[in-house]
Amino acid sequence: MSHAFTTSVLNVTTGATETVADLTRDCEEFLTRASGGRDGLLNIFVPHATAGIAILETGSGSDDDLLATLHALLPAENRYQHRHGSPGHGRDHVLPAFVAPHATLPVIGGRLELGTWQSVCLVDTNVDNANRQVRLSFLGQ
């Protein structure tokens, strides 16, 4: 029998470029092991000060649109007070105010309840840190 609360950590390598990494399959695989077919909630959390979790359509250009929009809102310039790392790295520390570092989603019958075109994505604009951890936690009844 599955426990009411189960958690696991994904190690994700995002590379040396800004990225939107689709984690949907990883979330579904975790739920297959953790949910026992039960209803509950999946919490996705990235414990980094320069990354976030987004629910959006991927593969149709929306992921690139998100990165372009973040560039327009948060240009990689040296105007930020937080100045260590690559030039303009301060913007990466502002990112989680726009793309939260967490999301909580419904799980019904052990399956992630997403809309037809929705995916769970890690948004990472920090090119100085290519290794990320993402914590998946299932709370079920």
Side-chain angles (χ1 to χ4, degrees):
M1 176 165 182
S2 298
H3 299 286
F5 179 79
T6 306
T7 189
S8 182
V9 174
L10 293 174
N11 291 302
V12 180
T13 302
T14 56
T17 59
E18 297 178 359
T19 189
V20 175
D22 190 339
L23 304 177
T24 308
R25 184 169 304 196
D26 296 301
C27 292
E28 291 169 343
E29 290 172 0
F30 169 74
L31 287 172
T32 297
R33 295 187 311 271
S35 72
R38 296 172 296 146
D39 295 348
L41 296 171
L42 174 66
N43 180 264
I44 306 104
F45 174 69
V46 56
H48 298 281
T50 59
I53 300 295
I55 309 300
L56 74 153
E57 180 179 6
T58 59
S60 65
S62 297
D63 34 359
D64 291 332
D65 290 341
L66 174 59
L67 291 174
T69 300
L70 290 172
H71 264 285
L73 292 172
L74 304 169
E77 300 170 346
N78 280 329
R79 65 181 177 179
Y80 302 97
Q81 292 183 36
H82 188 106
R83 293 184 187 231
H84 73 83
S86 298
H89 176 64
R91 74 180 284 262
D92 301 325
H93 286 274
V94 178
L95 172 76
F98 291 86
V99 181
H102 60 88
T104 300
L105 302 171
V107 176
I108 307 298
R111 298 185 53 100
L112 191 56
E113 285 292 303
L114 289 170
T116 302
W117 303 112
Q118 291 180 316
S119 296
V120 178
C121 298
L122 170 66
V123 180
D124 187 2
T125 60
N126 182 358
V127 298
D128 293 335
N129 184 359
N131 299 310
R132 299 299 186 164
Q133 291 185 330
V134 179
R135 178 164 296 281
L136 304 177
S137 300
F138 174 73
L139 180 63
Q141 57 180 13

